[in-house]
Amino acid sequence: FDKTKVDIGALLQRVLGMFSAEAQEKNISLAFEERYGDLTITADPQRLEQVFSNLIGNAIRYVPEGAKVWVTAAAAPQGLRMTINDNGAGVPEEDLPFIFDRFWRKDKSRSRASGGTGLGLAIAKQLLEAQGGTIAARNLPEGGLQVEIRIERKPSL
């Protein structure tokens, strides 16, 4: 991995921009709702962009027209915490443990034409773990899905 100083706030803003036309087409509100603290981290910017593109793209693909997708980023004592949230239907509780598995798809009947390969979340998980990060998902109490990413800051040598 090619590690460099990355401003996660700027990276997320860029990825949100890449999806703004698609979101507008589906009448989906796409927002960067919270950002606070020092959001710079030493990481591979291309890999992180791929992770966030996967997650934001998925959120837009799976929420109904008129829904909302929002992102947060905050400095935590050990590193950064980012979330990608939506107010769609969420994922059935019994499926949550499997959504980062290779080839898992929410709708088993989806063809590759409409549903992709089922690799996006598995790849996102792999790319994050390779950089010492973690990824988890949970249903929001008010409905929808939250994917949480944590990346630790490595102490400078």
Side-chain angles (χ1 to χ4, degrees):
F1 290 133
D2 184 23
K3 293 196 171 197
T4 181
K5 275 263 184 237
V6 182
D7 177 347
I8 294 293
L11 182 95
L12 281 167
Q13 200 68 58
R14 190 167 64 247
V15 173
L16 288 170
M18 291 167 19
F19 286 98
S20 64
E22 191 180 333
Q24 278 177 330
E25 232 169 76
K26 284 183 75 179
N27 190 28
I28 292 169
S29 148
L30 190 57
F32 198 156
E33 287 214 335
E34 289 173 32
R35 56 196 289 182
Y36 54 87
D38 174 9
L39 299 179
T40 55
I41 195 153
T42 301
D44 181 323
Q46 274 77 35
R47 301 288 192 301
L48 286 180
E49 187 170 314
Q50 193 178 347
V51 167
F52 290 122
S53 293
N54 259 329
L55 297 173
I56 292 167
N58 263 3
I60 291 170
R61 192 174 309 120
Y62 289 113
V63 297
E65 198 162 319
K68 179 178 177 181
V69 173
W70 68 100
V71 175
T72 69
Q78 313 78 358
L80 299 184
R81 176 183 182 267
M82 288 81 47
T83 65
I84 291 90
N85 311 273
D86 69 63
N87 65 350
V91 172
E93 276 313 310
E94 66 273 13
D95 288 341
L96 268 180
F98 306 108
I99 68 170
F100 297 106
D101 292 357
R102 293 166 66 89
F103 306 116
W104 183 89
R105 284 210 297 271
K106 180 176 176 179
D107 181 350
K108 306 293 181 266
S109 66
R110 287 176 78 109
S111 69
R112 283 189 61 175
S114 65
T117 59
L119 287 172
L121 292 176
I123 291 168
K125 180 178 185 190
Q126 217 171 353
L127 292 174
L128 276 167
E129 287 177 348
Q131 299 190 70
T134 60
I135 188 168
R138 68 183 185 96
N139 285 308
L140 294 168
E142 64 274 16
L145 186 70
Q146 176 180 79
V147 176
E148 178 186 73
I149 293 169
R150 290 181 180 268
I151 302 176
E152 285 186 34
R153 284 188 212 275
K154 301 284 182 271
S156 303
L157 299 174

